[in-house]
Amino acid sequence: MADAMEMMILSILAPQLHCEWRLPSWQVALLTSVVFVGMMSSSTLWGNISDQYGRKTGLKISVFWTLYYGILSGFAPVYSWILVLRGLVGFGIGGVPQSVTLYAEFLPMKARAKCILLIEVFWAIGTVFEVLLAVLVMPTLGWRWLLILSALPLLLFAVLCFWLPESARYDVLSGNQEKAIATLKRIATENGAPMPLGKLIISRQEDRGKMRDLFTPHFRWTTLLLWFIWFSNAFSYYGLVLLTTEFFQAGDVCSISSRRKEVKAKCSLTCEYLTEEDYTDLLWTTLSEFPGVLVTLWIIDRIGRKKTMALSFFVFSFCSLLLFLCVGRNVLTVLLFIARAFISGGFQAAYVYTPEVYPTATRALGLGTCSGMARVGALITPFIAQVMLESSVYLTLVVYSGCCLLAAVASCFLPIETKGRGLQESSHREWGQEMVGRGSHSPGVTRSNSGSQE
């Protein structure tokens, strides 16, 4: 939720500072891009920390970092200061995806996709809450208070994270069996379920968080395709968020083209504050995240992870092409609603697939590098959605549509489908079959993919 709020604020902050500080369009785009530079530079680092020192440790450090600089950015006196501080906020946000790594390692196979998608509902809640907060705060208190208040959900997590358990899978792999057993006993007690009989062991303790493991023959093609898929997801998702503001201020695509000629004739620093109608339409398109989650939830276990991602990219690409038509504001809102629903659904499907496809030893690093590639896409997108838009709105739409078509093809070519498979512990072992529970196996040795039970 906090991650989504820090991202959503960019589309609200950009037009405000453009007007208040008389910033040219390239400086407005840089304000957005610097956040993603921070996220891109730190994503792999947070993944490495999480694989080396624990999922909980990496997550806690990143949250405290983001909270501190998020509040501090509200006191930025000039443009250069807010640029540096928002970049540092981005550096901290780069560790937030590790919450999905931690969460996925607690979930049984049957519930994993459903539960990860349901936790992504809070991303949607965060985006909606940020728009509502902006409606209340911007007219009276201004953007500084909006930045400070947007960081407060992280304060709640910072307090509660001391009760957060470490991943038992990570503890087993790092040789800390006693801590893993304690965590499993806590889970059994809270669920009112008996502990399985036997002793928890691990067949191999290996190096963790090594970049080379992502490029072994078994994972090389998967890693490269996933990097492009995550790049395309973020590039298109954040591009649409920024384009939504531009489209609503203009009325439709054709108006942007005509307005561009008028603006060049008047002044390069002409700006428009967001109106109440703009906030209302922004809220409607933001609400599309909820049906996006529901559609993904409904199809991901039916057609599989790969096809779900491919479908999401294809629908987004189709809606982008329909924006070429000079439609009215209502039709424009509907198309943006559908496009955002599916691209956010595709993003959520990627969050389900990525932790499933990598083994525990490199799971956090795999997700971290994918997240880093997503930030590369997000870093580039302001210069397409805000700067290129001034030159050609149609070329801008072609770039987004073409990128998503290629990503749809990449999704189909992924070599591994993780639907119905247990999490893999080691890159040297085959896919695990997750333990169903006592009484579901014949007597003897019962194997689990988080070690084995004897």
Side-chain angles (χ1 to χ4, degrees), residues 147-334:
L147 284 174
I148 294 167
L149 292 172
S150 296
L152 290 184
L154 284 172
L155 181 61
L156 182 63
F157 180 84
V159 173
L160 295 175
C161 71
F162 292 99
W163 283 271
L164 190 69
E166 179 57 272
S167 165
R169 289 176 184 272
Y170 171 80
D171 284 332
V172 167
L173 202 71
S174 58
N176 200 342
Q177 276 91 342
E178 289 183 8
K179 194 176 175 185
I181 287 288
T183 303
L184 294 173
K185 283 180 179 176
R186 175 181 163 184
I187 293 169
T189 303
E190 289 180 1
N191 284 314
M195 281 283 286
L197 296 172
K199 186 176 70 172
L200 191 68
I201 62 169
I202 183 79
S203 61
R204 174 187 171 90
Q205 185 178 338
E206 57 184 273
D207 291 334
R208 302 182 306 278
K210 300 296 182 184
M211 195 74 175
R212 65 173 180 268
D213 290 336
L214 301 180
F215 292 95
T216 58
H218 186 61
F219 289 112
R220 187 185 301 126
W221 191 232
T222 299
T223 298
L224 293 173
L225 287 174
L226 275 177
W227 280 5
F228 180 68
I229 287 165
W230 278 74
F231 170 90
S232 303
N233 253 322
F235 178 72
S236 306
Y237 177 85
Y238 293 116
L240 188 66
V241 170
L242 296 172
L243 282 173
T244 298
T245 308
E246 298 286 340
F247 286 156
F248 285 155
Q249 285 187 326
D252 58 41
V253 174
C254 299
S255 298
I256 290 182
S257 299
S258 59
R259 189 185 66 170
R260 176 171 50 84
K261 294 171 185 174
E262 292 172 12
V263 168
K264 285 189 175 179
K266 292 177 185 176
C267 174
S268 61
L269 294 179
T270 301
C271 73
E272 293 179 28
Y273 287 97
L274 290 175
T275 64
E276 189 176 333
E277 188 182 13
D278 292 330
Y279 279 120
T280 303
D281 286 335
L282 196 59
L283 181 61
W284 276 115
T285 53
T286 304
L287 286 170
S288 65
E289 307 252 345
F290 292 100
V293 171
L294 293 175
V295 169
T296 307
L297 188 63
W298 187 67
I299 65 174
I300 196 164
D301 278 325
R302 285 175 169 79
I303 66 173
R305 281 61 162 150
K306 291 162 54 176
K307 289 179 182 176
T308 299
M309 289 188 282
L311 178 65
S312 299
F313 282 123
F314 180 77
V315 173
F316 177 88
S317 182
F318 182 68
C319 288
S320 300
L321 292 176
L322 287 180
L323 290 175
F324 273 76
L325 305 173
C326 292
V327 295
R329 191 180 179 104
N330 291 337
V331 178
L332 174 69
T333 304
V334 170

Side-chain angles (χ1 to χ4, degrees), residues 78-203:
V78 291
Y79 174 76
S80 57
W81 265 107
I82 199 166
L83 207 62
V84 171
L85 290 169
R86 293 313 289 176
L88 289 169
V89 168
F91 190 91
I93 294 173
V96 173
Q98 296 309 326
S99 58
V100 179
T101 304
L102 177 63
Y103 190 50
E105 291 184 344
F106 278 101
L107 297 169
M109 181 176 64
K110 287 184 179 179
R112 191 179 303 120
K114 184 193 300 180
C115 291
I116 292 176
L117 287 171
L118 288 176
I119 204 175
E120 292 295 328
V121 167
F122 285 90
W123 170 279
I125 292 172
T127 57
V128 171
F129 185 69
E130 185 61 38
V131 175
L132 293 174
L133 191 64
V135 171
L136 295 173
V137 173
M138 289 293 276
T140 52
L141 300 174
W143 61 269
R144 294 182 186 277
W145 273 102
L146 183 64
L147 284 174
I148 294 167
L149 292 172
S150 296
L152 290 184
L154 284 172
L155 181 61
L156 182 63
F157 180 84
V159 173
L160 295 175
C161 71
F162 292 99
W163 283 271
L164 190 69
E166 179 57 272
S167 165
R169 289 176 184 272
Y170 171 80
D171 284 332
V172 167
L173 202 71
S174 58
N176 200 342
Q177 276 91 342
E178 289 183 8
K179 194 176 175 185
I181 287 288
T183 303
L184 294 173
K185 283 180 179 176
R186 175 181 163 184
I187 293 169
T189 303
E190 289 180 1
N191 284 314
M195 281 283 286
L197 296 172
K199 186 176 70 172
L200 191 68
I201 62 169
I202 183 79
S203 61

Side-chain angles (χ1 to χ4, degrees), residues 392-405:
S392 173
V393 64
Y394 299 110
L395 180 60
T396 302
L397 292 172
V398 165
V399 169
Y400 285 114
S401 182
C403 182
C404 280
L405 277 177

